[in-house]
Every structure is written in structure tokens, then in C-alpha cells.
Amino acid sequence: MKLIYTHENRFLVGNAHNILEQAGIRVVWKNEFASSAIGEIAPFDTWPELWVVDDADYDHAIQIIANALSAPNAPEWICRSCNENNDAAFETCWNCQTDKTEMAQ
Ligand SMILES: [Zn+2]
């Protein structure tokens, strides 16, 4: 297993997780619920981590994440539930996890 992505915002990690699963890549969480331990250990150690199960998928997964997180021309979308701006790469609102496809157009 290899670490593919980590961020202090677990919703961003969740979006990366969704993107990779949709691409057929098996990934697992580590530290998903570590935020309850804040105060006991250094903040960085509590960041949720996304790990690729099969090392052979790593290079592919890195590309998918890089593409998804750096789509400069893709329009942002605004969550209908909480009005937060979301990057176009994300399928769910980073703030409240409302699904993008539930947006009224
Ligand atoms: Zn929202």
C-alpha cells in the first residue's frame, strides 16, 4: 500500500476517495476518525490519509488526483444546501457533503 493523498480537510480526502473509486482504484482510509484525538497528538498526525491498496495503481492514481485537483478551466459550482463554492472536480460539497448531482439546474 502507498499513501496517495492527505489533507487536513477530511472532505477533500473524501472527494479524492470518490474520484479514485469511480476510476476503479481500490483505496483505504487511515486516520479517518482521528480528529477526535486532537489535543493528544500533533495536528498533522490527525490528517486523514488515503492509501492505494495495490501499488501497481499508484502512478495511475496520482495522475487522476493531479488532474482532478488542477482543472483550471472547469467551472466551480455552488452548493445548493450551504452556498459554499466547490471545485468542479469535487462530486460532493466539501462543507456539507451534499451531492453535486442533486443540484437544481
Ligand atoms: Zn454544502
Side-chain angles (χ1 to χ4, degrees):
M1 289 212 305
K2 289 188 174 184
L3 177 64
I4 186 76
Y5 185 71
T6 184
H7 195 281
E8 63 182 330
N9 185 331
R10 66 179 299 276
F11 296 113
L12 295 182
V13 181
N15 274 307
H17 179 245
N18 291 340
I19 290 164
L20 290 173
E21 281 209 323
Q22 284 165 16
I25 293 172
R26 287 174 58 213
V27 288
V28 294
W29 285 89
K30 289 188 178 183
N31 297 340
E32 183 175 6
F33 302 110
S35 58
S36 61
I38 283 176
E40 299 297 320
I41 49 181
F44 183 80
D45 290 336
T46 68
W47 285 20
E49 297 174 344
L50 209 55
W51 291 68
V52 175
V53 174
D54 186 344
D55 287 3
D57 286 334
Y58 181 79
D59 289 342
H60 187 202
I62 281 285
Q63 272 195 327
I64 292 169
I65 291 291
N67 289 340
L69 298 184
S70 64
N73 296 322
E76 292 187 343
W77 55 279
I78 297 172
C79 177
R80 71 185 173 93
S81 175
C82 69
N83 291 322
E84 278 292 344
N85 282 309
N86 286 274
D87 190 284
F90 298 149
E91 298 302 319
T92 56
C93 176
W94 66 268
N95 187 51
C96 71
Q97 289 191 296
T98 296
D99 201 293
K100 180 182 181 179
T101 58
E102 293 174 14
M103 296 275 295
Q105 291 290 339

